Amino acid sequence: MARPQWDPRRQPCAEALTLKGERVERSLIELLAEADGLRSVSGSTPGEQVALLEYLLAICYASGTSPSTDTEWRDWVEDGHSLDQAARWLADRPEDEIWDLFHPTEPLGQNSLLAPYLDQRGAGPAQVVIEQVGDYSQFFDHHHLDHPQPLSPAEAFRAVLTQHVYGPAGRARISGKETLGPTITNLAVGRLSSRIRVIALGSTLGETLRLNLMPSPGPPGEFNRSWTSGTQARRGFRTKPDGRPVSGPADLHSALGRSVLLRPAVLPGSGDIVVDRVLMGAGELLRLQRPHLQDAVYATTVQGVEKPLWPSASRAFWRDAHALYTAVVDAGTADRGGRGTNLYRRLALFPGPDALRGPDGPPVRSVRLWAVGLVAKQTTAITWISGSFPFAPGLGAVLCHASTRGSAIAEYVAMSLGKAAYAAWEIAYPNPKPSDKAGQVARFDVRWRHWEAAEDPFHILLEETAAREPVHECLFSYASTLTDQAKGFLAKSLDSLPRNSRGFQTRAAALRRFEDELASRKAPAELHGEKA
């Protein structure tokens, strides 16, 4: 039987959404050739979608399809610069440049050095899917990974890309002593797994790629086709190396963050090619510098350390959306100590809606900032978080004000609900046991309902602001919606109180405390119907 082959350049490897809303399967070449006729690429998770975009960006850089200056970048976006060069480059690769997912010596995106150990030490294909692994520790029970349910080549390809970019830390199940070396078990944190990745979304896939192609005056670097291809020096697994320097943007976006190998099989009867076994260990380590984090939004930890904004399981990202707009405003007004250009500084180059332009001038650019992160608890992937926020050139400061005030209003309403719950507890439970306090207060604490319900009004606030509605009126409406919702949630939590004197006192005290907090001088002005 012939050896299975699968080439994502020409085989359907990803789902895309057309401008008419139809879902279609496309190869890598087709995605690039039809980029301006497709709305976006799809993925089973936000992380998979980002990983696909990263790979397409790497191909663009490797093919020389990228601007070299900020001015050229703006022209590329405004003029809809064609990505056909990238599609042709991919289609015309020489025969000795292998793009086969199952090649015996240069498998695409993988490490063929693992081949002697794959049959005996590999696991079920679920091991390569971030969300299905469970705890990334070899000491935990992983019997579910032995399940033989196969993956299609396209699913396995996308899962490998996602592992390279977002793979969590932990200890791989592979044996270090009996395979490639002791440090192959040490799974490093993926390049994007510990921070929020921000993608500027355009109206088409082509525009999205152009928006995120950072200008690169230097060489593109080597595209990482596999562990054993090219001239790139790969790490060994006997000792932990220092991160290697990045040779260019193509290298950065195609880095092999996992040492992984897939085993192909042919299903009897149908003859379909599938992946039925996987072996995975540590991958490359990169020495990342600030220019490699063009989209990063920086925040300060409680220890006073500045670092890229990180995903949180307990705090929805929309509550920090103002950080995105702050980055745009700061980038548009100053170079912040000579740190150089970044995504936000380039977005500030587009003319705003009030700019004077002739009839043939460029249209006002409408962009969405899409933030994606993987929440992990130690070595366990918990969930993906994502949020999409409007951005319009010239309105960065207004959107920054709306999002900052919107977040502050939501935070204050939540704090007021917490104090109202405590006021109810004090009367409802006059002689509580200390060990019972948390559960008793939780009976009246509806902050979680508030946070769930506040997200949609917040997005409406930003959409209306981006549509040039008066921001103070938008904030008043938003504040009124949040307070009405919160008061309803609080009143409902008090409905379970007995219909007696203590119950009525408890209800009155909680509602009064909530109203007093909203009327306080400390409350955001919008809660009083005033302009901040």
Side-chain angles (χ1 to χ4, degrees):
M1 181 179 293
R3 176 181 62 84
Q5 299 180 32
W6 192 81
D7 184 345
R9 293 177 304 166
R10 295 180 170 84
Q11 298 286 338
C13 65
E15 189 177 67
L17 191 66
T18 70
L19 298 181
K20 295 181 179 180
E22 301 167 336
R23 294 191 177 275
V24 293
E25 295 288 335
R26 290 291 184 265
S27 66
L28 292 175
I29 292 174
E30 290 170 334
L31 286 175
L32 291 166
E34 302 173 23
D36 288 310
L38 300 172
R39 184 172 299 168
S40 64
V41 290
S42 302
S44 59
T45 66
E48 184 178 280
Q49 194 171 348
V50 169
L52 275 168
L53 289 171
E54 292 278 331
Y55 205 66
L56 292 172
L57 288 171
I59 293 170
C60 288
Y61 286 120
S63 67
T65 312
S66 62
S68 57
T69 66
D70 285 356
T71 301
E72 187 179 3
W73 172 87
R74 184 178 65 180
D75 292 341
W76 274 43
V77 176
E78 290 185 338
D79 298 339
H81 187 91
S82 172
L83 300 177
D84 285 347
Q85 178 180 331
R88 288 195 302 270
W89 177 88
L90 196 56
D92 296 339
R93 304 317 301 149
E95 288 188 7
D96 61 348
E97 192 174 288
I98 299 164
W99 290 73
D100 180 4
L101 195 67
F102 303 126
H103 193 270
T105 60
E106 295 183 19
L108 186 64
Q110 300 162 73
N111 184 356
S112 63
L113 300 179
L114 293 170
Y117 319 103
L118 177 56
D119 290 348
Q120 181 182 359
R121 302 191 178 278
Q127 186 184 22
V128 79
V129 181
I130 285 179
E131 304 80 17
Q132 296 181 15
V133 175
D135 196 300
Y136 278 74
S137 170
Q138 64 180 351
F139 303 114
F140 275 69
D141 180 11
H142 293 87
H143 69 274
H144 66 285
L145 296 183
D146 293 323
H147 195 282
Q149 180 67 34
L151 291 176
S152 70
E155 291 172 324
F157 171 66
R158 297 194 300 269
V160 167
L161 295 186
T162 310
Q163 280 282 356
H164 286 326
V165 176
Y166 281 105
R171 288 180 64 85
R173 302 178 72 228
I174 188 173
S175 171
K177 295 180 180 179
E178 301 178 37
T179 56
L180 297 182
T183 67
I184 197 169
T185 65
N186 300 331
L187 301 176
V189 175
R191 179 169 61 89
L192 298 181
S193 63
S194 61
R195 73 173 181 93
I196 296 291
R197 171 66 159 114
V198 181
I199 299 281
L201 295 178
S203 58
T204 65
L205 172 60
E207 188 173 59
T208 294
L209 292 174
R210 287 186 287 269
L211 283 166
N212 293 280
L213 281 168
M214 64 181 181
S216 179
E222 189 166 350
F223 187 93
N224 297 286
R225 283 187 296 107
S226 81
W227 200 270
T228 50
S229 68
T231 61
Q232 190 75 262
R234 307 291 175 190
R235 62 170 290 189
F237 296 105
R238 295 296 167 186
T239 59
K240 181 181 178 180
D242 294 329
R244 68 168 177 82
V246 177
S247 63
D251 178 24
L252 174 70
H253 291 278
S254 66
L256 305 177
R258 284 285 194 262
S259 186
V260 61
L261 188 61
L262 309 174
R263 187 178 77 178
V266 178
L267 292 179
S270 67
D272 292 339
I273 300 173
V274 295
V275 172
D276 71 344
R277 204 159 184 81
V278 174
L279 188 58
M280 188 166 66
E284 292 187 311
L285 297 174
L286 299 181
R287 190 186 309 160
L288 297 178
Q289 299 176 336
R290 208 174 186 103
H292 303 135
L293 286 75
Q294 292 267 314
D295 63 293
V297 176
Y298 290 87
T300 303
T301 66
V302 292
Q303 292 80 23
V305 178
E306 187 183 50
K307 71 173 202 175
L309 194 64
W310 56 95
S312 170
S314 59
R315 184 179 177 87
F317 183 73
W318 66 265
R319 295 166 63 180
D320 292 312
H322 55 278
L324 297 177
Y325 297 116
T326 300
V328 176
V329 172
D330 289 350
T333 56
D335 199 359
R336 297 198 70 183
R339 287 177 177 170
T341 187
N342 61 20
L343 172 65
Y344 308 103
R345 187 172 179 81
R346 289 193 294 276
L347 289 175
L349 295 175
F350 289 121
D354 297 325
L356 296 177
R357 298 185 301 280
D360 298 326
V364 175
R365 189 60 49 185
S366 178
V367 177
R368 299 194 71 83
L369 300 176
W370 183 45
V372 177
L374 175 63
V375 177
K377 182 179 181 182
Q378 297 178 336
T379 58
T380 303
I382 303 299
T383 188
W384 296 98
I385 63 168
S386 65
S388 176
F389 308 95
F391 170 74
L395 294 180
V398 179
L399 286 163
C400 183
H401 175 71
S403 57
T404 301
R405 297 302 299 172
S407 182
I409 291 167
E411 295 281 359
Y412 190 87
V413 171
M415 181 273 294
S416 301
L417 286 171
K419 291 188 175 182
Y422 189 85
W425 170 77
E426 285 185 306
I427 298 176
Y429 299 97
N431 298 301
K433 294 179 180 179
S435 59
D436 295 337
K437 178 180 177 181
Q440 292 167 350
V441 174
R443 174 185 177 184
F444 308 112
D445 191 347
V446 292
R447 284 177 293 181
W448 65 276
R449 289 187 180 276
H450 159 71
W451 286 123
E452 285 184 349
E455 182 171 2
D456 285 345
F458 182 83
H459 283 289
I460 292 172
L461 164 68
L462 294 185
E463 297 294 344
E464 291 177 342
T465 302
R468 301 184 59 77
E469 296 291 333
V471 65
H472 61 280
E473 293 182 10
C474 296
L475 283 167
F476 293 157
S477 176
Y478 167 79
S480 176
T481 297
L482 259 58
T483 53
D484 288 346
Q485 287 180 164
K487 189 172 182 179
F489 295 145
L490 178 61
K492 190 170 183 178
S493 75
L494 299 169
D495 285 346
S496 62
L497 290 167
R499 300 293 178 175
N500 57 24
S501 177
R502 187 180 300 279
F504 293 138
Q505 289 177 20
T506 301
R507 182 181 182 86
L511 294 173
R512 183 169 58 249
R513 181 60 183 271
F514 180 68
E515 296 287 356
D516 288 348
E517 290 297 331
L518 296 184
S520 169
R521 291 183 180 179
K522 299 178 181 179
E526 292 84 356
L527 292 171
H528 303 155
E530 302 172 6
K531 187 175 179 179

